[in-house]
Amino acid sequence: MEKFFNPQSVAVIGASVSEGKPGNVVLRNMLDNAYKGKIFLVNPRGGQIEGRLVAKSIEDLPAGIDQAIVTLPAALVPETVLALGEKGIKAVVLAASGFAEVNEMGEGLQADLAEAIKESGVRVLGPNTTGHISVPANFTSSFFPIGKLRRGSVSYIAQTGNFCGISIRHLSSAENFGVARSCGLGNKVDLNESDILDFYGQDPETKSIFMYLESVANPTRFLRVARRVSQHKPVFLLKGGASDAGAQAALAHTGSLAADGRIVDGAIAQAGITRLSKYSQLFHVAKALDVMALPKGNRVSFLSPSGAFTVCLTDICRDLGLDVPKLEEKTRKRLQDLAPPFIRMRNPVDIFGSVGMHGYEVAYKDALEAVLIDRNIDAVVAILMLTTETGIPDLNFIPQLAKRYPVKPIYVTFMGEHKHNIAAKELLEPLGVPCYLEVEQPFEVLSLLADCRRKMRRA
Amino acid sequence: MSSRTKKIIDTAIKRGQRALTEYESKRVLAAYGIPVSREVLVASASQARSAAKKIKYPVVLKACSADEAHKTEKGLVAVNLSSQKELNEAWTALNKKAGRGYDGNWLVQEMVKGPREIMIGMHRDPGFGPSVMFGLGGIFTEILQDVIFRVAPLRKKDARDMLRGIRACKILDEIRGMPSADKEVLVHALMAVGQIALDHPEIEEIDINPLILKGAKPIAVDGLIVLSGV
C-alpha cells in the first residue's frame, strides 16, 4: 500500500502529448500537486512531453520504480501488466474501461487481466477507475483534471471515479475542505474496499473515512475490517443500488450485483458503520469532520434570530433524533443578562433581542460562548442573519471560539442576503468553521455524527 | 455442535429430504437451547390419545411429513382440541383430508396461547453467509415486512440491537397487562439460530414462525429447516 499511497517514483504507461488525453492529464495533475518523486513516461513514439524524455517501452525503464499508471486501451492492458510485473513494478493503476462493466468481450478481457495479475504478482487498482489521490504525498494517479488539492484529514473509498474527479472538484471549490486520500475502486479486479479500508484504518493521515459502494467484493472480510476500523475512526457509507431500480443501474455502472438490501443494512450496522442516505452527505458530513471534533453526543443548542426557527428547527431536531436540552441555570442567567427582560432566554437561544441591545458581535459571541461552556450541550449551530442594512459584523470571533472550545463543534448556517452568506462561508470555512447554506443541513449532519458516535461506542 | 443434531440432518439427507420435518426441525432447535412447544410424534389414533393425555388438553393435531412443509395451506392442522372427543373427530377429518396416499406421521402438540407472535429466521446470503432475521410473526411477517437482519456469528449486543431494531419493538415491552418478553431467551435464540447455520453448512434456511409469547416466555410453535439442494 505504501507504493500506492506514498510512491517514490512512478511511470505513466501511455503518456501523451495531447492536452486533455488521460495520458497527459495524469502528468499535469502530478505537476499541479508538486509531486516530488521521480516521474517516468512511456510511449512507443518516444520523444518528449512537458520537457521530459519519453521511454519507448516498459523494458527501457530503469529498475526500482514503485508504481505504474496505465492509460492504455483495455485490449493492451493484460500484456502490459505482465510486462510491468517483469520489470518489478508491483503497484499498478489501470484507468481503461471496457471490461466486465460493458459486455461479454470485456468480461473475457477482465478474466485475462485477472490471470495476468496472478501470474505477475502485481497489485492492481481498477480497471475502469479514475485513479487515486494521496495529498500528503502530493500525489495522484487521476486522469480527471483535479487541480491543486487541499490537504485534509478525510479519506474516501468510492466505487466511482467521482472522488478522484468531479466530486473532488466540487468539495475543494464549493465546500472548502481538504482530503488525505481518495481511491476510485473501479471494477475491483484485485484491490477492493476491504484492502483500502484496512489501510485507511492504520493511516495516521486519515481521521475519518467516507465510502460510496455499489457492491462489496468480500462481505465477510469487509465486516471484519470495518468492525475493527470503526472502533477508533468514524466510518460512513452511502450504499448505491439500495432500491431495485438503483441495483439495475449499479449493474450497468460497475458490473456489480447488489445483495439483499435488508441484509446489507444489518451488516453495515453490525460493522459499526454509519449509513448515509444522500450523496451530498458524503461532503457535508466530511466537511464537519475535517476541521471539527466528532460531538460527544446528540445534545444540541442553536442560536436563532427568528422565533419561527426556534420552533420548527426544534421539531426537526426531534425528528432527527437530536436532543435540544435545558441549559444549565448559570448559562440561562448569562443569556438573560444580555437580553431584554420580555424575552425568556432558554434553549434554543432566541438571539434577536440581544442583538438589538448590544449589537451583532457582542450578542452572538457572548451567547455562543455561554452555550459552548454549558455541560448539557455537545454541539452548537449559529444561524446568522446577514443583510446590508443591518450591517455585516466581523465574524472572526467564531473561529476564535472554535479554537478555544475544540471539543464542541460549531456549525454556521444562514438566513438573509445570499451574497453575504456566500462571503461569510468563504471567510469562515478556510478558518475551520463549516458552513451550510440551508438551515436544516447542519442538523442533518449533527444527527449523522451523533449516530456515528453511538455506533463507535457500541462497536 | 451436537452430534444428535448432525445425526438428524444426515439421516434426512440420506432419505433425500429437501427439508426437515417440523418434528426434526424442532429437535434441532431444542438441541441449541431454543424453547419449543411440547409435542409427541404419533402414527395412530390411540397413540395420539395417550400423547394428548400426557401433554394435557387443549392440544393441536398437525400432519408431520417431509413433504408437507405448508401444513396450514393444505389444512392439515386442527387447533385448540379440548377433549378426547374433539381429538378423535379431528383425527378422522384430517386423515380423510390427507388421503390414502399420505405416508407421514402426526404431531400432537401443546396448544400455546398468546396474542403476541414473532419470528426468527435464517437466510444463507451468497456473500455475507448465514444472516439471522427477526421480526413480527404469523401473517404480519409478510404483510408488514417489519424485519431486521444481522450476519452470523451474532454477539450479544447484535442480538439486542435486533430486538430493538424493528419498528414494532414495543411488542416486546410490558403492554396492555402483558409482561415484558424474556429478552435473554430471545437473545439466546437469535444467537443460537446463527450458530446452527454456522455449524451446519447443509442448512439453507431456518424459519421459526410463529414464536409465540406465552406470557413472557417465547416458545417456537412451528419450525422449518430447509436443506440445500445437494
mmCIF file with all atom_site columns, all heavy atoms in Angstrom, chain B residues 178-200:
data_model
loop_
_atom_site.group_PDB
_atom_site.id
_atom_site.type_symbol
_atom_site.label_atom_id
_atom_site.label_alt_id
_atom_site.label_comp_id
_atom_site.label_asym_id
_atom_site.label_entity_id
_atom_site.label_seq_id
_atom_site.pdbx_PDB_ins_code
_atom_site.Cartn_x
_atom_site.Cartn_y
_atom_site.Cartn_z
_atom_site.occupancy
_atom_site.B_iso_or_equiv
_atom_site.pdbx_formal_charge
_atom_site.auth_seq_id
_atom_site.auth_comp_id
_atom_site.auth_asym_id
_atom_site.auth_atom_id
_atom_site.pdbx_PDB_model_num
ATOM 1   N N   . MET B 1 178 ? -49.827 -7.315  29.551 1.00 0.00 ? 178 MET B N   1
ATOM 2   C CA  . MET B 1 178 ? -48.947 -8.449  29.228 1.00 0.00 ? 178 MET B CA  1
ATOM 3   C C   . MET B 1 178 ? -47.539 -8.129  29.745 1.00 0.00 ? 178 MET B C   1
ATOM 4   O O   . MET B 1 178 ? -47.105 -6.980  29.668 1.00 0.00 ? 178 MET B O   1
ATOM 5   C CB  . MET B 1 178 ? -48.898 -8.666  27.717 1.00 0.00 ? 178 MET B CB  1
ATOM 6   C CG  . MET B 1 178 ? -50.245 -9.080  27.131 1.00 0.00 ? 178 MET B CG  1
ATOM 7   S SD  . MET B 1 178 ? -50.148 -9.325  25.345 1.00 0.00 ? 178 MET B SD  1
ATOM 8   C CE  . MET B 1 178 ? -50.335 -7.661  24.746 1.00 0.00 ? 178 MET B CE  1
ATOM 9   N N   . PRO B 1 179 ? -46.832 -9.131  30.246 1.00 0.00 ? 179 PRO B N   1
ATOM 10  C CA  . PRO B 1 179 ? -45.499 -8.850  30.782 1.00 0.00 ? 179 PRO B CA  1
ATOM 11  C C   . PRO B 1 179 ? -44.493 -8.610  29.663 1.00 0.00 ? 179 PRO B C   1
ATOM 12  O O   . PRO B 1 179 ? -44.729 -8.981  28.511 1.00 0.00 ? 179 PRO B O   1
ATOM 13  C CB  . PRO B 1 179 ? -45.159 -10.134 31.543 1.00 0.00 ? 179 PRO B CB  1
ATOM 14  C CG  . PRO B 1 179 ? -45.935 -11.205 30.841 1.00 0.00 ? 179 PRO B CG  1
ATOM 15  C CD  . PRO B 1 179 ? -47.196 -10.563 30.361 1.00 0.00 ? 179 PRO B CD  1
ATOM 16  N N   . SER B 1 180 ? -43.393 -7.963  30.016 1.00 0.00 ? 180 SER B N   1
ATOM 17  C CA  . SER B 1 180 ? -42.292 -7.771  29.078 1.00 0.00 ? 180 SER B CA  1
ATOM 18  C C   . SER B 1 180 ? -41.732 -9.145  28.681 1.00 0.00 ? 180 SER B C   1
ATOM 19  O O   . SER B 1 180 ? -41.611 -10.033 29.512 1.00 0.00 ? 180 SER B O   1
ATOM 20  C CB  . SER B 1 180 ? -41.241 -6.913  29.781 1.00 0.00 ? 180 SER B CB  1
ATOM 21  O OG  . SER B 1 180 ? -40.058 -6.895  29.059 1.00 0.00 ? 180 SER B OG  1
ATOM 22  N N   . ALA B 1 181 ? -41.419 -9.309  27.407 1.00 0.00 ? 181 ALA B N   1
ATOM 23  C CA  . ALA B 1 181 ? -40.913 -10.605 26.927 1.00 0.00 ? 181 ALA B CA  1
ATOM 24  C C   . ALA B 1 181 ? -39.567 -10.921 27.564 1.00 0.00 ? 181 ALA B C   1
ATOM 25  O O   . ALA B 1 181 ? -38.805 -10.008 27.892 1.00 0.00 ? 181 ALA B O   1
ATOM 26  C CB  . ALA B 1 181 ? -40.764 -10.570 25.415 1.00 0.00 ? 181 ALA B CB  1
ATOM 27  N N   . ASP B 1 182 ? -39.280 -12.195 27.704 1.00 0.00 ? 182 ASP B N   1
ATOM 28  C CA  . ASP B 1 182 ? -37.994 -12.609 28.258 1.00 0.00 ? 182 ASP B CA  1
ATOM 29  C C   . ASP B 1 182 ? -36.904 -12.383 27.201 1.00 0.00 ? 182 ASP B C   1
ATOM 30  O O   . ASP B 1 182 ? -36.675 -13.210 26.315 1.00 0.00 ? 182 ASP B O   1
ATOM 31  C CB  . ASP B 1 182 ? -38.051 -14.085 28.672 1.00 0.00 ? 182 ASP B CB  1
ATOM 32  C CG  . ASP B 1 182 ? -36.814 -14.480 29.449 1.00 0.00 ? 182 ASP B CG  1
ATOM 33  O OD1 . ASP B 1 182 ? -35.749 -13.854 29.232 1.00 0.00 ? 182 ASP B OD1 1
ATOM 34  O OD2 . ASP B 1 182 ? -36.901 -15.415 30.268 1.00 0.00 ? 182 ASP B OD2 1
ATOM 35  N N   . LYS B 1 183 ? -36.240 -11.224 27.309 1.00 0.00 ? 183 LYS B N   1
ATOM 36  C CA  . LYS B 1 183 ? -35.280 -10.818 26.280 1.00 0.00 ? 183 LYS B CA  1
ATOM 37  C C   . LYS B 1 183 ? -34.058 -11.748 26.254 1.00 0.00 ? 183 LYS B C   1
ATOM 38  O O   . LYS B 1 183 ? -33.486 -11.986 25.205 1.00 0.00 ? 183 LYS B O   1
ATOM 39  C CB  . LYS B 1 183 ? -34.815 -9.375  26.517 1.00 0.00 ? 183 LYS B CB  1
ATOM 40  C CG  . LYS B 1 183 ? -35.956 -8.366  26.663 1.00 0.00 ? 183 LYS B CG  1
ATOM 41  C CD  . LYS B 1 183 ? -36.249 -7.656  25.374 1.00 0.00 ? 183 LYS B CD  1
ATOM 42  C CE  . LYS B 1 183 ? -37.501 -6.813  25.401 1.00 0.00 ? 183 LYS B CE  1
ATOM 43  N NZ  . LYS B 1 183 ? -37.682 -5.900  26.519 1.00 0.00 ? 183 LYS B NZ  1
ATOM 44  N N   . GLU B 1 184 ? -33.675 -12.233 27.431 1.00 0.00 ? 184 GLU B N   1
ATOM 45  C CA  . GLU B 1 184 ? -32.487 -13.088 27.466 1.00 0.00 ? 184 GLU B CA  1
ATOM 46  C C   . GLU B 1 184 ? -32.699 -14.350 26.634 1.00 0.00 ? 184 GLU B C   1
ATOM 47  O O   . GLU B 1 184 ? -31.809 -14.807 25.921 1.00 0.00 ? 184 GLU B O   1
ATOM 48  C CB  . GLU B 1 184 ? -32.113 -13.444 28.913 1.00 0.00 ? 184 GLU B CB  1
ATOM 49  C CG  . GLU B 1 184 ? -31.428 -12.302 29.656 1.00 0.00 ? 184 GLU B CG  1
ATOM 50  C CD  . GLU B 1 184 ? -30.273 -11.676 28.869 1.00 0.00 ? 184 GLU B CD  1
ATOM 51  O OE1 . GLU B 1 184 ? -29.327 -12.407 28.527 1.00 0.00 ? 184 GLU B OE1 1
ATOM 52  O OE2 . GLU B 1 184 ? -30.334 -10.461 28.565 1.00 0.00 ? 184 GLU B OE2 1
ATOM 53  N N   . VAL B 1 185 ? -33.924 -14.912 26.739 1.00 0.00 ? 185 VAL B N   1
ATOM 54  C CA  . VAL B 1 185 ? -34.229 -16.114 25.956 1.00 0.00 ? 185 VAL B CA  1
ATOM 55  C C   . VAL B 1 185 ? -34.211 -15.782 24.459 1.00 0.00 ? 185 VAL B C   1
ATOM 56  O O   . VAL B 1 185 ? -33.687 -16.544 23.643 1.00 0.00 ? 185 VAL B O   1
ATOM 57  C CB  . VAL B 1 185 ? -35.597 -16.704 26.376 1.00 0.00 ? 185 VAL B CB  1
ATOM 58  C CG1 . VAL B 1 185 ? -36.001 -17.839 25.448 1.00 0.00 ? 185 VAL B CG1 1
ATOM 59  C CG2 . VAL B 1 185 ? -35.537 -17.183 27.819 1.00 0.00 ? 185 VAL B CG2 1
ATOM 60  N N   . LEU B 1 186 ? -34.764 -14.619 24.113 1.00 0.00 ? 186 LEU B N   1
ATOM 61  C CA  . LEU B 1 186 ? -34.781 -14.220 22.701 1.00 0.00 ? 186 LEU B CA  1
ATOM 62  C C   . LEU B 1 186 ? -33.362 -13.979 22.178 1.00 0.00 ? 186 LEU B C   1
ATOM 63  O O   . LEU B 1 186 ? -33.022 -14.396 21.067 1.00 0.00 ? 186 LEU B O   1
ATOM 64  C CB  . LEU B 1 186 ? -35.634 -12.959 22.520 1.00 0.00 ? 186 LEU B CB  1
ATOM 65  C CG  . LEU B 1 186 ? -37.147 -13.171 22.631 1.00 0.00 ? 186 LEU B CG  1
ATOM 66  C CD1 . LEU B 1 186 ? -37.881 -11.835 22.615 1.00 0.00 ? 186 LEU B CD1 1
ATOM 67  C CD2 . LEU B 1 186 ? -37.653 -14.067 21.498 1.00 0.00 ? 186 LEU B CD2 1
ATOM 68  N N   . VAL B 1 187 ? -32.552 -13.306 22.979 1.00 0.00 ? 187 VAL B N   1
ATOM 69  C CA  . VAL B 1 187 ? -31.160 -13.061 22.585 1.00 0.00 ? 187 VAL B CA  1
ATOM 70  C C   . VAL B 1 187 ? -30.456 -14.391 22.342 1.00 0.00 ? 187 VAL B C   1
ATOM 71  O O   . VAL B 1 187 ? -29.785 -14.592 21.318 1.00 0.00 ? 187 VAL B O   1
ATOM 72  C CB  . VAL B 1 187 ? -30.418 -12.229 23.671 1.00 0.00 ? 187 VAL B CB  1
ATOM 73  C CG1 . VAL B 1 187 ? -28.912 -12.310 23.499 1.00 0.00 ? 187 VAL B CG1 1
ATOM 74  C CG2 . VAL B 1 187 ? -30.884 -10.780 23.629 1.00 0.00 ? 187 VAL B CG2 1
ATOM 75  N N   . HIS B 1 188 ? -30.671 -15.323 23.273 1.00 0.00 ? 188 HIS B N   1
ATOM 76  C CA  . HIS B 1 188 ? -30.049 -16.630 23.103 1.00 0.00 ? 188 HIS B CA  1
ATOM 77  C C   . HIS B 1 188 ? -30.547 -17.318 21.831 1.00 0.00 ? 188 HIS B C   1
ATOM 78  O O   . HIS B 1 188 ? -29.765 -17.907 21.076 1.00 0.00 ? 188 HIS B O   1
ATOM 79  C CB  . HIS B 1 188 ? -30.319 -17.515 24.317 1.00 0.00 ? 188 HIS B CB  1
ATOM 80  C CG  . HIS B 1 188 ? -29.826 -18.920 24.117 1.00 0.00 ? 188 HIS B CG  1
ATOM 81  N ND1 . HIS B 1 188 ? -28.509 -19.265 24.296 1.00 0.00 ? 188 HIS B ND1 1
ATOM 82  C CD2 . HIS B 1 188 ? -30.458 -20.036 23.666 1.00 0.00 ? 188 HIS B CD2 1
ATOM 83  C CE1 . HIS B 1 188 ? -28.353 -20.543 23.990 1.00 0.00 ? 188 HIS B CE1 1
ATOM 84  N NE2 . HIS B 1 188 ? -29.525 -21.038 23.602 1.00 0.00 ? 188 HIS B NE2 1
ATOM 85  N N   . ALA B 1 189 ? -31.858 -17.233 21.580 1.00 0.00 ? 189 ALA B N   1
ATOM 86  C CA  . ALA B 1 189 ? -32.436 -17.901 20.411 1.00 0.00 ? 189 ALA B CA  1
ATOM 87  C C   . ALA B 1 189 ? -31.856 -17.331 19.114 1.00 0.00 ? 189 ALA B C   1
ATOM 88  O O   . ALA B 1 189 ? -31.528 -18.085 18.184 1.00 0.00 ? 189 ALA B O   1
ATOM 89  C CB  . ALA B 1 189 ? -33.954 -17.757 20.428 1.00 0.00 ? 189 ALA B CB  1
ATOM 90  N N   . LEU B 1 190 ? -31.712 -16.007 19.061 1.00 0.00 ? 190 LEU B N   1
ATOM 91  C CA  . LEU B 1 190 ? -31.157 -15.374 17.852 1.00 0.00 ? 190 LEU B CA  1
ATOM 92  C C   . LEU B 1 190 ? -29.717 -15.832 17.621 1.00 0.00 ? 190 LEU B C   1
ATOM 93  O O   . LEU B 1 190 ? -29.334 -16.201 16.501 1.00 0.00 ? 190 LEU B O   1
ATOM 94  C CB  . LEU B 1 190 ? -31.204 -13.849 17.993 1.00 0.00 ? 190 LEU B CB  1
ATOM 95  C CG  . LEU B 1 190 ? -32.589 -13.209 17.909 1.00 0.00 ? 190 LEU B CG  1
ATOM 96  C CD1 . LEU B 1 190 ? -32.550 -11.770 18.413 1.00 0.00 ? 190 LEU B CD1 1
ATOM 97  C CD2 . LEU B 1 190 ? -33.105 -13.244 16.469 1.00 0.00 ? 190 LEU B CD2 1
ATOM 98  N N   . MET B 1 191 ? -28.928 -15.827 18.689 1.00 0.00 ? 191 MET B N   1
ATOM 99  C CA  . MET B 1 191 ? -27.530 -16.258 18.562 1.00 0.00 ? 191 MET B CA  1
ATOM 100 C C   . MET B 1 191 ? -27.461 -17.731 18.178 1.00 0.00 ? 191 MET B C   1
ATOM 101 O O   . MET B 1 191 ? -26.627 -18.144 17.365 1.00 0.00 ? 191 MET B O   1
ATOM 102 C CB  . MET B 1 191 ? -26.782 -16.010 19.879 1.00 0.00 ? 191 MET B CB  1
ATOM 103 C CG  . MET B 1 191 ? -26.662 -14.527 20.213 1.00 0.00 ? 191 MET B CG  1
ATOM 104 S SD  . MET B 1 191 ? -25.995 -14.223 21.873 1.00 0.00 ? 191 MET B SD  1
ATOM 105 C CE  . MET B 1 191 ? -24.291 -14.710 21.628 1.00 0.00 ? 191 MET B CE  1
ATOM 106 N N   . ALA B 1 192 ? -28.376 -18.521 18.755 1.00 0.00 ? 192 ALA B N   1
ATOM 107 C CA  . ALA B 1 192 ? -28.375 -19.961 18.500 1.00 0.00 ? 192 ALA B CA  1
ATOM 108 C C   . ALA B 1 192 ? -28.700 -20.272 17.039 1.00 0.00 ? 192 ALA B C   1
ATOM 109 O O   . ALA B 1 192 ? -28.068 -21.140 16.424 1.00 0.00 ? 192 ALA B O   1
ATOM 110 C CB  . ALA B 1 192 ? -29.380 -20.646 19.424 1.00 0.00 ? 192 ALA B CB  1
ATOM 111 N N   . VAL B 1 193 ? -29.648 -19.534 16.477 1.00 0.00 ? 193 VAL B N   1
ATOM 112 C CA  . VAL B 1 193 ? -30.014 -19.771 15.076 1.00 0.00 ? 193 VAL B CA  1
ATOM 113 C C   . VAL B 1 193 ? -28.808 -19.500 14.165 1.00 0.00 ? 193 VAL B C   1
ATOM 114 O O   . VAL B 1 193 ? -28.532 -20.260 13.230 1.00 0.00 ? 193 VAL B O   1
ATOM 115 C CB  . VAL B 1 193 ? -31.238 -18.912 14.677 1.00 0.00 ? 193 VAL B CB  1
ATOM 116 C CG1 . VAL B 1 193 ? -31.393 -18.847 13.168 1.00 0.00 ? 193 VAL B CG1 1
ATOM 117 C CG2 . VAL B 1 193 ? -32.501 -19.484 15.315 1.00 0.00 ? 193 VAL B CG2 1
ATOM 118 N N   . GLY B 1 194 ? -28.068 -18.434 14.479 1.00 0.00 ? 194 GLY B N   1
ATOM 119 C CA  . GLY B 1 194 ? -26.849 -18.151 13.722 1.00 0.00 ? 194 GLY B CA  1
ATOM 120 C C   . GLY B 1 194 ? -25.842 -19.287 13.873 1.00 0.00 ? 194 GLY B C   1
ATOM 121 O O   . GLY B 1 194 ? -25.217 -19.721 12.902 1.00 0.00 ? 194 GLY B O   1
ATOM 122 N N   . GLN B 1 195 ? -25.722 -19.796 15.093 1.00 0.00 ? 195 GLN B N   1
ATOM 123 C CA  . GLN B 1 195 ? -24.763 -20.856 15.369 1.00 0.00 ? 195 GLN B CA  1
ATOM 124 C C   . GLN B 1 195 ? -25.145 -22.156 14.653 1.00 0.00 ? 195 GLN B C   1
ATOM 125 O O   . GLN B 1 195 ? -24.278 -22.854 14.117 1.00 0.00 ? 195 GLN B O   1
ATOM 126 C CB  . GLN B 1 195 ? -24.670 -21.085 16.885 1.00 0.00 ? 195 GLN B CB  1
ATOM 127 C CG  . GLN B 1 195 ? -23.421 -21.843 17.310 1.00 0.00 ? 195 GLN B CG  1
ATOM 128 C CD  . GLN B 1 195 ? -22.138 -21.180 16.813 1.00 0.00 ? 195 GLN B CD  1
ATOM 129 O OE1 . GLN B 1 195 ? -21.951 -19.972 16.978 1.00 0.00 ? 195 GLN B OE1 1
ATOM 130 N NE2 . GLN B 1 195 ? -21.272 -21.955 16.166 1.00 0.00 ? 195 GLN B NE2 1
ATOM 131 N N   . ILE B 1 196 ? -26.441 -22.461 14.631 1.00 0.00 ? 196 ILE B N   1
ATOM 132 C CA  . ILE B 1 196 ? -26.891 -23.671 13.916 1.00 0.00 ? 196 ILE B CA  1
ATOM 133 C C   . ILE B 1 196 ? -26.435 -23.605 12.459 1.00 0.00 ? 196 ILE B C   1
ATOM 134 O O   . ILE B 1 196 ? -25.904 -24.565 11.900 1.00 0.00 ? 196 ILE B O   1
ATOM 135 C CB  . ILE B 1 196 ? -28.440 -23.808 13.971 1.00 0.00 ? 196 ILE B CB  1
ATOM 136 C CG1 . ILE B 1 196 ? -28.908 -24.044 15.413 1.00 0.00 ? 196 ILE B CG1 1
ATOM 137 C CG2 . ILE B 1 196 ? -28.923 -24.936 13.061 1.00 0.00 ? 196 ILE B CG2 1
ATOM 138 C CD1 . ILE B 1 196 ? -30.416 -23.977 15.591 1.00 0.00 ? 196 ILE B CD1 1
ATOM 139 N N   . ALA B 1 197 ? -26.623 -22.416 11.848 1.00 0.00 ? 197 ALA B N   1
ATOM 140 C CA  . ALA B 1 197 ? -26.269 -22.252 10.437 1.00 0.00 ? 197 ALA B CA  1
ATOM 141 C C   . ALA B 1 197 ? -24.761 -22.356 10.233 1.00 0.00 ? 197 ALA B C   1
ATOM 142 O O   . ALA B 1 197 ? -24.300 -22.916 9.238  1.00 0.00 ? 197 ALA B O   1
ATOM 143 C CB  . ALA B 1 197 ? -26.783 -20.910 9.931  1.00 0.00 ? 197 ALA B CB  1
ATOM 144 N N   . LEU B 1 198 ? -23.982 -21.820 11.179 1.00 0.00 ? 198 LEU B N   1
ATOM 145 C CA  . LEU B 1 198 ? -22.526 -21.897 11.056 1.00 0.00 ? 198 LEU B CA  1
ATOM 146 C C   . LEU B 1 198 ? -22.041 -23.335 11.245 1.00 0.00 ? 198 LEU B C   1
ATOM 147 O O   . LEU B 1 198 ? -21.128 -23.786 10.555 1.00 0.00 ? 198 LEU B O   1
ATOM 148 C CB  . LEU B 1 198 ? -21.850 -20.995 12.091 1.00 0.00 ? 198 LEU B CB  1
ATOM 149 C CG  . LEU B 1 198 ? -21.984 -19.483 11.859 1.00 0.00 ? 198 LEU B CG  1
ATOM 150 C CD1 . LEU B 1 198 ? -21.436 -18.707 13.053 1.00 0.00 ? 198 LEU B CD1 1
ATOM 151 C CD2 . LEU B 1 198 ? -21.262 -19.041 10.589 1.00 0.00 ? 198 LEU B CD2 1
ATOM 152 N N   . ASP B 1 199 ? -22.693 -24.058 12.178 1.00 0.00 ? 199 ASP B N   1
ATOM 153 C CA  . ASP B 1 199 ? -22.281 -25.439 12.446 1.00 0.00 ? 199 ASP B CA  1
ATOM 154 C C   . ASP B 1 199 ? -22.684 -26.386 11.320 1.00 0.00 ? 199 ASP B C   1
ATOM 155 O O   . ASP B 1 199 ? -22.054 -27.426 11.122 1.00 0.00 ? 199 ASP B O   1
ATOM 156 C CB  . ASP B 1 199 ? -22.930 -25.934 13.756 1.00 0.00 ? 199 ASP B CB  1
ATOM 157 C CG  . ASP B 1 199 ? -22.294 -25.282 14.975 1.00 0.00 ? 199 ASP B CG  1
ATOM 158 O OD1 . ASP B 1 199 ? -21.227 -24.661 14.810 1.00 0.00 ? 199 ASP B OD1 1
ATOM 159 O OD2 . ASP B 1 199 ? -22.862 -25.391 16.080 1.00 0.00 ? 199 ASP B OD2 1
ATOM 160 N N   . HIS B 1 200 ? -23.772 -26.058 10.625 1.00 0.00 ? 200 HIS B N   1
ATOM 161 C CA  . HIS B 1 200 ? -24.311 -26.992 9.627  1.00 0.00 ? 200 HIS B CA  1
ATOM 162 C C   . HIS B 1 200 ? -24.475 -26.325 8.270  1.00 0.00 ? 200 HIS B C   1
ATOM 163 O O   . HIS B 1 200 ? -25.544 -25.815 7.946  1.00 0.00 ? 200 HIS B O   1
ATOM 164 C CB  . HIS B 1 200 ? -25.661 -27.548 10.102 1.00 0.00 ? 200 HIS B CB  1
ATOM 165 C CG  . HIS B 1 200 ? -25.566 -28.230 11.427 1.00 0.00 ? 200 HIS B CG  1
ATOM 166 N ND1 . HIS B 1 200 ? -25.034 -29.491 11.573 1.00 0.00 ? 200 HIS B ND1 1
ATOM 167 C CD2 . HIS B 1 200 ? -25.891 -27.809 12.669 1.00 0.00 ? 200 HIS B CD2 1
ATOM 168 C CE1 . HIS B 1 200 ? -25.056 -29.815 12.861 1.00 0.00 ? 200 HIS B CE1 1
ATOM 169 N NE2 . HIS B 1 200 ? -25.565 -28.816 13.545 1.00 0.00 ? 200 HIS B NE2 1
#
